[in-house]
Amino acid sequence: MTIVTAPPPPVTSRPVRGSSRRGAMRWLLPLGPALVLLALFLAGPILWSVYIAFTNETLTGSASVHSRFVGVANFVKLFGDPNFLNSFLLTFVFVIGSAVIGQNTLGLIIALLQRGRGRVTRSVVNGVVIAAWVVPEVVAAACWFSFLAEEGTLNRVLGVSQEWLYTAPMLAVILANIWRGTAFSMLVYSAALSEVPADLVEAAAVDGAGPGRRLLHITLPLIRRSIMANLMLITLQTLASFGLIYALTGGGPGTASQTTPLYMYEQAFRYFEIGYGSAIALVMLVIGALFSLVYLRLIKVEDA
Amino acid sequence: MKRTLAGSLLLLLTAVAGCGGGTPQNTSGAKELEVLYKVETTWPYLEKMLGAAKKQYESAHPGVTIKLTAVQGNNEAYYTKLALLNRSPDSAPDLYYHDTFQVNADVAAGKLAPLDDYLAKWPDWSTQFPDSVKQAAKGGDGKIYGVPISTDTRGLWYQKDVFAKAGLPVPWEPKTWNDVLTAARTIKQKLPGVVPFSMYATKIHGEASTMQGFEMLLYGTPGGTLYDDAQKKWVAGGKNFTDALTFVNTVFREELGPKQADAHNAKLGDKVTMEWFPEAKLGISLDGAWASSAWKPTGTKPWPEWTEKIGWTPMPTQNGEAPGAVSMSGGWVMAMSAYTKHKQEAFDFITTATNKENSMAYSVGTGDLAPRKDVAADPKYSADNPSVKFWTDLASVTHYRPAYEVYPKVSTQVQEAMEAVVTGSRTPEEATANYAKALPAAVGGPDKVLSR
């Protein structure tokens, strides 16, 4: 694909109030191609997939050439489908367990513990945590697969024989995702904590506040916006997480770790039900939007 | 201002043109045919055969090049990739290796080209392919949509050392399902650590679970079938269905089968042929004729002793009902895309890939049964595989899947039912009821379903 960069908007000719029409044209025209491209390659496919969600489109068979509009049938089917409801519940458990509780808390703890440590310690800890973050999902999954396997490291250390991926698949994928994603929260909190004025904390210490009270009443309130922003970002990331679970358990055994993205993949690309798969994707999009709204609302309430 | 606009539009058009395209611009006038096929590290046979066919074809057809495009991975990955490429004429391959159970769905989608006119002029078709094999890729319209590369039958493989240690008779000739289960129970009791009985029964094995697993049971019950040919309706559950699932349930509840972790492992087949059978850690395996191919000198796990250590016997019917044994047959074909611009050249490649030499190389490598009469009659074909005659003879009791357009969807419902029983989340009765409930949506309406 040829990439077209829009010429920068002319800085000298800011639209003046009153003659806004001419002004708008001035910056709209150079931006035009970029907007058209965005519409064509971003909005287009999204609208198309919304349309597909209301059809009975399949990847092969007669419905792939003669697909028709079926209204909300896909959504009616979806909400009566025990497998979807199961996947929805698992996605919720996965997001709360691995992102909101796991990555978020662990990231904050690591960031807090690193304050005031020597450069060497910080580099080593940062390096290790970030290494887990930068490896591709499939590689991370392979590491955890061998760690949790019957003849794997975990069983050796514990001296037991357990098929973790089959006896506790959700726990396994949640742990793997915490391991992989904590770096992001850690970096966000490290940055936020460096903004907390040291003299404020020292003053509280002089006044006799212990570490717990200093954290609760000074540090956390000061970084609350970062907490909300971080929660929103990792929630959205985790909601769409696919590769790690797919490579680790494939959603199994049975449907024991089949979160909604995996369920969508199965319907669309293994059972070839593209229409139904798109409907699931659409529902996920709405859920992601709802989560974001809740967080944004919380940030506003905090500010008020 | 106008110049800016014109420039922007021009840039945009260039961008769009750059993104579009698709068909390669052959300025030289040379023709290229793309062949899509699948390859796994433990299954290199098709790639070898197609490589040879490419060389033969290109030297006989100057000006035409064959582009071999491999899909890495198992069957399920291959089906998905092929279906996605087939979405657009620009990305669709000209020729592809195709599983016969997908053929009718693709015929309905208008993606396959009928071959009848070309076949009529190809002498091998009438002289070398038996009538039963010719049906392999027949569409609902009666036309032929692929030339068979392989066919197969299914039955029981067993480890003779395991049987001897467990005090079971060799040769083993089970007459009923109970005989199979009794042998498995004996192995479990006498030889801890040995997997008594292995079968494919989970979603991860896809069509293998449906065909090697479930259908080998269902079609062995009296009147058991997925599709009623007389009434042209899909059969919704019933006692046959529950009985087949009950067998699966017994295997996994009594722990006669692989452990859950292995039952859900995509590499179960490799474990069976490369570890468990050679190391005498498995008693019985319900699988296809090809299972021994890995043990040949050219295979992925050469095991010269296999001809003495491994036995084979037909899968019995439920209570020994006539004809006493059951088998299922399917196979793969080389098919031609409806989108290809060079149909005659494409068909010529099919005839090259399925000529005697290449067909022989493929069958000997994979252990699949040869669809051609001249290959089957050649002593080289069965030279290092004493089981070939047995698997070929199973054709007398074999069944074919109702490979209609909706079959792949029915198959996935069968896998759902099986896996629910394997994990123990549903009883055979509940799983059957669920299947009966899901079937109308899969086959296109309650009027196409026969309640049992």
Side-chain angles (χ1 to χ4, degrees):
Chain A
M1 193 201 290
T2 319
I3 293 168
V4 183
T5 33
V11 255
T12 45
S13 59
R14 272 209 197 131
V16 186
R17 218 170 276 202
S19 65
S20 64
R21 219 185 132 196
R22 221 196 120 127
M25 286 303 280
R26 280 225 160 163
W27 63 265
L28 245 181
L29 270 180
L31 270 180
L35 290 178
V36 173
L37 280 180
L38 270 180
L40 210 63
F41 294 111
L42 200 72
I46 291 176
L47 289 178
W48 178 247
S49 72
V50 170
Y51 166 73
I52 293 286
F54 291 92
T55 68
N56 67 346
E57 177 98 7
T58 57
L59 269 188
T60 185
S62 49
S64 69
V65 267
H66 307 294
S67 68
R68 60 193 164 77
F69 193 75
V70 292
V72 292
N74 283 332
F75 297 92
V76 172
K77 182 181 164 194
L78 193 57
F79 290 108
D81 183 345
N83 283 334
F84 171 71
L85 299 175
N86 170 62
S87 80
F88 186 72
L89 194 72
L90 290 177
T91 310
F92 192 71
V93 170
F94 184 62
V95 169
I96 298 293
S98 76
V100 176
I101 298 175
Q103 292 178 10
N104 186 49
T105 318
L106 194 62
L108 180 62
I109 291 173
I110 297 177
L112 281 170
L113 289 177
Q114 287 208 67
R115 294 190 79 196
R117 308 278 163 207
R119 256 184 65 190
V120 179
T121 322
R122 292 178 66 143
S123 311
V124 169
V125 174
N126 273 339
V128 170
V129 177
I130 292 174
W133 187 42
V134 294
V135 296
E137 273 182 319
V138 178
V139 178
C143 295
W144 275 82
F145 197 88
S146 46
F147 177 67
L148 296 172
E150 200 183 4
E151 288 113 29
T153 324
L154 183 62
N155 282 341
R156 289 269 168 83
V157 172
L158 297 178
V160 295
S161 177
Q162 266 283 348
E163 292 279 4
W164 295 102
L165 288 172
Y166 299 90
T167 49
M170 275 314 283
L171 189 67
V173 294
I174 285 175
L175 286 177
N177 197 46
I178 294 176
W179 176 81
R180 201 181 117 76
T182 296
F184 183 79
S185 300
M186 183 193 80
L187 291 175
V188 169
Y189 290 133
S190 294
L193 288 175
S194 67
E195 300 288 313
V196 174
D199 46 356
L200 207 61
V201 181
E202 273 164 31
V206 170
D207 287 346
R213 291 194 68 175
R214 292 203 300 270
L215 175 70
L216 214 61
H217 293 295
I218 300 189
T219 314
L220 287 186
L222 281 173
I223 63 165
R224 65 183 194 278
R225 289 184 67 107
S226 297
I227 296 179
M228 284 301 156
N230 180 53
L231 279 176
M232 185 164 102
L233 288 172
I234 60 177
T235 300
L236 293 180
Q237 268 169 21
T238 312
L239 206 58
S241 176
F242 175 81
L244 187 75
I245 310 180
Y246 188 76
L248 210 48
T249 68
T255 51
S257 61
Q258 192 178 48
T259 57
T260 307
L262 274 93
Y263 181 62
M264 180 188 77
Y265 175 84
E266 184 183 65
Q267 293 299 317
F269 299 112
R270 271 204 60 193
Y271 299 172
F272 296 167
E273 298 282 350
I274 286 286
Y276 190 51
S278 303
I280 301 170
L282 204 58
V283 171
M284 276 185 58
L285 198 72
V286 171
I287 293 168
L290 284 177
F291 264 108
S292 314
L293 274 180
V294 169
Y295 286 129
L296 287 176
R297 184 90 206 146
L298 282 175
I299 293 180
K300 266 196 176 165
V301 169
E302 290 267 313
D303 284 348
Chain B
M1 175 97 46
K2 268 191 183 152
R3 194 174 293 164
T4 327
L5 180 63
S8 308
L9 278 178
L10 192 68
L11 273 176
L12 177 65
L13 285 176
T14 328
V16 173
C19 290
T23 37
Q25 311 279 315
N26 276 325
T27 42
S28 62
K31 294 169 185 167
E32 185 182 80
L33 293 170
E34 184 181 17
V35 181
L36 194 79
Y37 64 98
K38 72 161 201 125
V39 65
E40 290 179 71
T41 43
T42 55
W43 200 80
Y45 315 106
L46 179 64
E47 181 152 65
K48 276 186 198 158
M49 183 271 256
L50 288 174
K54 172 184 157 80
K55 270 189 203 144
Q56 295 163 18
Y57 181 88
E58 284 176 351
S59 63
H61 297 76
V64 188
T65 44
I66 299 294
K67 182 185 168 200
L68 296 178
T69 306
V71 175
Q72 291 279 349
N74 59 14
N75 289 349
E76 315 307 308
Y78 181 71
Y79 305 147
T80 304
K81 182 80 181 179
L82 176 60
L84 287 172
L85 288 174
N86 261 339
R87 291 278 281 174
S88 148
D90 288 339
S91 58
D94 298 292
L95 292 155
Y96 39 93
Y97 179 67
H98 210 20
D99 196 330
T100 46
F101 91 100
Q102 300 260 355
V103 164
N104 271 295
D106 280 351
V107 169
K111 281 167 186 158
L112 288 170
L115 304 177
D116 302 67
D117 295 346
Y118 304 98
L119 290 169
K121 291 179 222 143
W122 184 38
D124 289 23
W125 185 247
S126 51
T127 56
Q128 297 301 342
F129 289 85
D131 284 339
S132 59
V133 172
K134 284 180 184 170
Q135 316 290 316
K138 197 175 195 170
D141 54 5
K143 293 182 183 156
I144 302 291
Y145 287 90
V147 174
I149 286 186
S150 70
T151 178
D152 45 34
T153 51
R154 286 146 178 80
L156 296 169
W157 297 93
Y158 61 98
Q159 226 289 5
K160 291 180 185 170
D161 285 354
V162 172
F163 268 59
K165 273 189 227 154
L168 288 162
V170 176
W172 179 51
E173 285 166 342
K175 297 281 179 263
T176 63
W177 286 2
N178 253 333
D179 292 352
V180 177
L181 291 172
T182 307
R185 286 177 187 126
T186 311
I187 295 169
K188 180 180 159 71
Q189 196 192 345
K190 298 266 177 67
L191 303 170
V194 171
V195 180
F197 178 86
S198 174
M199 69 186 291
Y200 303 100
T202 54
K203 287 199 292 192
I204 198 149
H205 299 117
E207 182 61 13
S209 291
T210 309
M211 200 177 185
Q212 272 98 274
F214 186 78
E215 289 171 356
M216 283 295 287
L217 296 163
L218 181 73
Y219 283 81
T221 62
T225 180
L226 285 175
Y227 185 82
D228 188 309
D229 281 311
Q231 305 197 43
K232 300 205 181 310
K233 285 181 178 183
W234 295 89
V235 180
K239 186 175 181 305
N240 305 91
F241 203 97
T242 317
D243 285 355
L245 286 179
T246 304
F247 182 94
V248 178
N249 193 51
T250 309
V251 166
F252 284 91
R253 290 296 81 69
E254 290 187 24
E255 296 180 346
L256 302 174
K259 282 185 299 185
Q260 291 286 331
D262 291 321
H264 291 276
N265 187 337
K267 298 283 177 201
L268 174 65
D270 289 349
K271 284 202 166 184
V272 167
T273 51
M274 293 188 219
E275 293 173 34
W276 294 351
F277 262 153
E279 293 165 16
K281 284 182 179 162
L282 172 65
I284 312 158
S285 168
L286 176 57
D287 210 333
W290 57 83
S292 67
S293 64
W295 305 322
K296 288 163 175 284
T298 51
T300 41
K301 167 80 189 178
W303 184 32
E305 298 86 21
W306 81 269
T307 51
E308 291 133 46
K309 303 283 185 192
I310 294 291
W312 42 86
T313 189
M315 177 70 191
T317 49
Q318 187 175 12
N319 299 302
E321 293 89 348
V326 59
S327 187
M328 298 295 302
S329 286
W332 292 71
V333 296
M334 188 53 83
M336 187 204 290
S337 171
Y339 303 123
T340 182
K341 294 196 182 73
H342 314 294
K343 292 221 162 59
Q344 184 61 52
E345 287 83 355
F347 181 76
D348 290 346
F349 182 76
I350 295 183
T351 62
T352 308
T354 56
N355 67 19
K356 188 189 172 194
E357 185 188 346
N358 293 325
S359 187
M360 168 85 90
Y362 179 89
S363 298
V364 169
T366 59
D368 280 352
L369 303 177
R372 289 178 65 107
K373 291 179 194 165
D374 51 4
V375 175
D378 197 308
K380 268 189 286 178
Y381 165 60
S382 49
D384 58 350
N385 187 347
S387 72
V388 164
K389 185 180 179 327
F390 163 79
W391 297 107
T392 310
D393 290 347
L394 275 183
S396 63
V397 295
T398 206
H399 298 264
Y400 290 89
R401 291 165 291 186
Y404 300 105
E405 183 194 340
V406 296
Y407 174 80
K409 288 190 188 177
V410 174
S411 173
T412 60
Q413 291 303 331
V414 169
Q415 290 158 34
E416 295 268 354
M418 267 189 126
E419 179 155 311
V421 169
V422 170
T423 57
S425 68
R426 291 196 186 108
T427 66
E429 289 76 16
E430 287 164 357
T432 305
N434 255 46
Y435 175 81
K437 213 171 96 190
L439 193 61
V443 300
D447 54 318
K448 295 184 176 113
V449 171
L450 187 67
S451 296
R452 280 263 169 96

